[in-house]
Amino acid sequence: VARTTPTQMSKRKREVLTSFGGLYDCLPPPDPDKDAAAKAAAESKNKKPKLPTEDRTKVIFLDIDGVLIPAGSMETIWIDGIMLPVRPTIKEGDFNVAALTNLRSIVQRTGACIIISSEWRRSETLSSSIGTVLRSHDIPMFRDSTPILTPSPELHKLDPAVIWCERRAREITTWLKDHKEVTSWVAIDDLDFSWADAVKAASTASIKYRSVLTNAHRCITEENAEQAVQLLLDPPREER
């Protein structure tokens, strides 16, 4: 009986495989034009609209916790009556991606600049890390921050949230008084500024009518973004 050597078997195997053609012979030939068009379409779909030139007459007073980062998602600590993250910096993974997208939409549609009003502005490392995340999502860095004021001693018996909110309203008011060029603004916050308006001094601006109240766990939604855009493009009459 004739025996087939391993070399002969390997040769016959190659001949059989070759007779069936190559592995990709059934596929259509490459079409460079079609491939380039598909790539361009994909890039266009993912491309963000270009941001307009910054309009310093329009301002977004931006909180962070409960606005861009879900409340309670980070470990925090109370320091001198202020709740701050335990970690010295914020990472991209801490943010609500949809909220970042919605914030960028507000800026893209209005040209408004961002003023950070969050308590987290007190820490330079926190502010810097937040700014880094914003820039990575093609959102402008903060133009400025509101001043840091002290709680009103007359309100010390009230709920801490009311005291906190009233102070933030005064901080926004103080910043606005120093920037007369601003003609439209919105405060995006998870604090309800009706609390501040109810106890404000005569010298403090009403904030509620120009604010967007976010759900502290959902952060800025598309609906919130629409509200903010309307307040910036068609500001209501000033309330006293």
Side-chain angles (χ1 to χ4, degrees):
V1 178
R3 296 180 178 273
T4 304
T5 65
T7 301
Q8 291 173 325
M9 289 182 65
S10 178
K11 182 179 179 182
R12 290 181 61 187
K13 184 177 181 181
R14 287 198 302 270
E15 290 173 348
V16 170
L17 290 175
T18 302
S19 68
F20 284 100
L23 179 61
Y24 301 104
D25 285 356
C26 61
L27 298 178
D31 186 339
D33 293 337
K34 186 176 181 180
D35 293 344
K39 181 180 179 181
E43 291 177 349
S44 176
K45 182 178 180 180
N46 296 325
K47 189 175 181 180
K48 298 176 181 177
K50 184 179 179 180
L51 294 177
T53 301
E54 182 183 74
D55 183 350
R56 294 203 166 195
T57 68
K58 297 183 177 69
V59 164
I60 300 167
F61 291 104
L62 185 69
D63 187 19
I64 301 298
D65 189 31
V67 173
L68 293 180
I69 296 176
S73 63
M74 296 182 60
E75 185 179 1
T76 55
I77 186 172
W78 285 91
I79 301 177
D80 296 330
I82 304 300
M83 188 169 61
L84 296 172
V86 172
R87 294 202 329 253
T89 59
I90 307 297
K91 300 181 296 184
E92 184 169 3
D94 296 319
F95 285 75
N96 180 311
V97 176
L100 288 169
T101 299
N102 291 327
L103 174 60
R104 189 187 186 281
S105 173
I106 298 169
V107 175
Q108 188 270 321
R109 295 167 63 187
T110 65
C113 53
I114 299 173
I115 310 299
I116 184 171
S117 56
S118 168
E119 298 303 327
W120 296 5
R121 73 196 187 285
R122 296 168 180 264
S123 166
E124 185 176 345
T125 55
L126 276 176
S127 295
S128 178
S129 61
I130 293 168
T132 298
V133 174
L134 293 187
R135 289 194 298 273
S136 72
H137 285 261
D138 195 29
I139 301 171
M141 180 59 173
F142 315 123
R143 170 189 162 191
D144 198 1
S145 61
T146 53
I148 297 173
L149 304 180
T150 57
S152 295
E154 301 86 357
L155 306 179
H156 72 279
K157 293 184 179 181
L158 298 181
D159 186 287
V162 175
I163 298 173
W164 189 347
C165 193
E166 187 275 338
R167 175 171 53 79
R168 183 162 296 177
R170 281 188 290 115
E171 292 167 344
I172 290 173
T173 299
T174 301
W175 192 94
L176 285 170
K177 287 179 178 178
D178 291 337
H179 296 81
K180 303 295 186 182
E181 73 278 10
V182 176
T183 57
S184 65
W185 54 271
V186 62
I188 305 179
D189 212 303
D190 64 339
L191 288 175
D192 188 340
F193 282 104
S194 64
W195 303 339
D197 288 355
V199 297
K200 76 180 186 69
S203 58
T204 302
S206 296
I207 306 295
K208 179 64 177 179
Y209 79 113
R210 286 200 185 189
S211 70
V212 172
L213 178 62
T214 63
N215 178 297
H217 300 290
R218 295 176 61 199
C219 301
I220 303 177
T221 62
E222 290 185 11
E223 181 181 359
N224 293 150
E226 287 295 331
Q227 293 170 344
V229 168
Q230 289 303 311
L231 287 169
L232 287 166
L233 297 183
D234 187 20
R237 289 186 177 183
E238 184 176 356
E239 289 190 2
R240 297 291 182 181

